[in-house]
Amino acid sequence: MSAPLTDRDDDSALAGEYELGLLEGEAKAQAERRLATDAAFVREVERWRTRFAAFDDATPPLAAPEALWRKIEGGIAGQPAAVASAPSLWSRIWGDLAVMRGAAVGASLAVLVLAIGLGAAIRAANKQPVMVAVLLDGDRAGAVVQAFADGRTVLLPLTSISVPEGKVLEVWTLPSRERGPVSVGLMERARTLTLSLKDLPAPRADQLFEITLEPAGGSPIGRPTGPVLFKGNTALAL
Amino acid sequence: MSTSSQTDGAAEAQVAAALARCAGGDRNALRVIYDLEAGRMTGVARRLLRRQDLAEEAVQDTFMRVWRAARTFDPQKGSARTWLYAILRNSALSILRDEGRFTSDEDKQESAPMTESALALLPETSALRRCLERLDAERRAVVVLAYVHGLSHGELAGKLGVPLGTVKSWVRRSLLSLQECMG
């Protein structure tokens, strides 16, 4: 008990205090920031969650009324999954993904890890994405493109993207070098978007997708004109 | 979450699969999670918040957050049920701290019986229970009451009748002992 505390002990205790709900004010805000950037800290918190989970598992269940479900159902009506959310929690949960930044994992590895994770999650759901692309800015993941066997290709944002007044987000793909970039979607803010690839061949491995900032209405010349916000190449979903 | 038994493993797989479907916008999948976990979640929220109305508010808030954030869940990083209960705990503690001090019979309870009845929830074989039992009574109490009933540093100091600094140091020492004991 009297051994000197190491930095690692310090961090573990801090993660434990966070999970117990004992941090307040600046200490709590600081821990939440670290959850968004510090992979080792995220793992410490996860360890404490697992250690204490026995209490929750052992807590007797109570009746969950049908009326409560109806309130939830009403609350999510018209709200597509995962478009926006309260910033504090968003940043907290985002931490689970943003870990890659803090861990300074190379972008390609981040893509691989994300693609594996998504592949596994989606396979579990019995959907079959053929291709997955994680669109990145450096090593920050901004969106995922999933191409399904039935030809549907869907873009899912992973972060909020700030769009200045009078601008829109335009999604592009590069089916071949000869053909050049083709616009496949337009949106005023980051949201789930079904991409229009009907006139294009099904995405193949290593096909580029990118999101650029364009004037309202989309690029006037049918080619990207604005800055590239996020880009990434497809990989076979595992 | 402990996934030692087959039942736990099955629940974990069901929740993980339902979360993936939620990420794809399938509302029925959220209902699947509700059917699997809302009862336990209401129990956990009630344990922290003491009031049924507040417990239901926490569960409702949790499901809304789960719906919005389902796609950020990464099965490579941890268990789906742990993720679910982390959101619930976060939500319940925000309500608890916002509501400030509301008095209930539990507030007047002595720390020792409260701690013992919380510990008694845990199976005899639980590593958490075994490791908590190795701590001195008061050092055990601070961790158990903070986790199980959501007491803050200040509330712990009041209940145990010791200065805030003492509580903080007990918590840290207890966490380090637990970490060492549980690995």
Side-chain angles (χ1 to χ4, degrees):
Chain A
M1 289 295 257
S2 56
L5 293 179
T6 64
D7 284 353
R8 185 145 188 284
D9 286 343
D10 231 29
D11 256 16
S12 174
L14 188 71
E17 288 172 303
Y18 174 79
E19 178 55 14
L20 286 175
L22 290 174
L23 297 183
E24 293 167 50
E26 182 47 32
K28 185 180 176 197
Q30 207 171 358
E32 281 172 348
R33 281 197 295 276
R34 287 189 62 188
L35 275 178
T37 53
D38 182 342
F41 189 67
V42 171
R43 278 195 299 275
E44 290 294 344
V45 172
E46 183 71 17
R47 275 190 202 112
W48 282 113
R49 283 176 183 158
T50 308
R51 288 177 188 129
F52 284 124
F55 273 127
D56 294 344
D57 282 341
T59 298
L62 295 171
E66 193 58 29
L68 179 56
W69 168 252
R70 281 198 297 274
K71 278 192 214 169
I72 294 165
E73 209 178 18
I76 63 170
Q79 200 187 96
V83 170
S85 111
S88 65
L89 186 84
W90 180 261
S91 53
R92 197 186 129 103
I93 293 168
W94 171 246
D96 290 349
L97 266 176
V99 166
M100 284 139 196
R101 269 181 289 172
V105 175
S108 57
L109 182 58
V111 170
L112 185 64
V113 170
L114 265 171
I116 292 170
L118 284 164
I122 294 156
R123 191 170 51 245
N126 214 9
K127 290 182 181 174
Q128 299 287 333
V130 185
M131 294 284 168
V132 177
V134 181
L135 311 193
L136 303 165
D137 171 24
D139 53 6
R140 188 166 76 99
V144 178
V145 173
Q146 298 173 348
F148 293 90
D150 63 4
R152 259 179 338 117
T153 303
V154 180
L155 177 131
L156 309 172
L158 294 172
T159 183
S160 58
I161 303 172
S162 70
V163 183
E165 190 70 34
K167 298 277 185 186
V168 293
L169 300 169
E170 191 155 12
V171 188
W172 306 85
T173 190
L174 190 67
S176 68
R177 228 161 246 301
E178 298 70 40
R179 180 150 181 189
V182 179
S183 171
V184 290
L186 207 58
M187 55 190 172
E188 286 170 3
R189 58 185 171 78
R191 63 178 175 87
T192 304
L193 186 68
T194 300
L195 303 178
S196 9
L197 272 77
K198 281 196 196 66
D199 303 324
L200 298 175
R204 43 181 182 73
D206 218 29
Q207 180 166 328
L208 176 78
F209 280 83
E210 62 179 28
I211 302 175
T212 62
L213 201 58
E214 300 290 348
S219 164
I221 59 164
R223 289 278 185 271
T225 62
V228 177
L229 302 179
F230 297 96
K231 63 175 181 178
N233 290 43
T234 47
L236 212 53
L238 297 175
Chain B
M1 283 300 140
S2 136
T3 49
S4 50
S5 81
Q6 254 184 344
T7 333
D8 286 352
E12 168 60 27
Q14 283 173 297
V15 173
L19 268 182
R21 284 167 54 207
C22 284
D26 180 352
R27 282 163 218 274
N28 295 332
L30 194 68
R31 174 71 205 221
V32 169
I33 300 177
Y34 189 86
D35 288 339
L36 286 168
E37 298 291 343
R40 174 97 48 211
M41 289 165 79
T42 307
V44 168
R46 176 78 185 259
R47 188 193 74 206
L48 287 164
L49 292 162
R50 284 96 119 183
R51 276 171 37 189
Q52 183 68 19
D53 60 333
L54 295 178
E56 289 186 13
E57 189 185 323
V59 172
Q60 183 185 348
D61 181 53
T62 301
F63 274 92
M64 309 281 292
R65 291 177 180 202
V66 165
W67 176 250
R68 291 192 301 246
R71 76 177 50 144
T72 69
F73 167 69
D74 180 352
Q76 303 293 305
K77 293 253 157 52
S79 126
R81 293 187 69 235
T82 306
W83 187 76
L84 205 62
Y85 283 83
I87 296 175
L88 175 70
R89 182 167 182 85
N90 183 275
S91 176
L93 288 178
S94 319
I95 294 173
L96 187 61
R97 304 287 183 249
D98 285 352
E99 288 284 319
R101 300 263 321 137
F102 44 82
T103 50
S104 78
D105 291 345
E106 263 177 18
D107 292 330
K108 298 179 206 109
Q109 266 187 48
E110 298 278 333
S111 69
M114 260 177 102
T115 306
E116 290 321 304
S117 57
L119 263 193
L121 284 174
L122 297 175
E124 299 272 355
T125 52
S126 143
L128 179 63
R129 177 166 180 168
R130 181 171 49 81
C131 292
L132 281 167
E133 280 172 345
R134 283 167 57 167
L135 301 175
D136 295 342
E138 285 175 313
R139 296 178 184 217
R140 171 161 68 232
V142 288
V143 171
V144 170
L145 297 180
Y147 191 83
V148 175
H149 296 295
L151 266 60
S152 66
H153 275 138
E155 289 164 336
L156 289 168
K159 192 171 276 295
L160 291 158
V162 295
L164 202 56
T166 306
V167 165
K168 289 184 178 175
S169 127
W170 282 353
V171 167
R172 290 181 81 80
R173 288 293 178 177
S174 298
L175 287 170
L176 292 174
S177 305
L178 274 184
Q179 172 189 247
E180 197 175 318
C181 178
M182 295 182 76

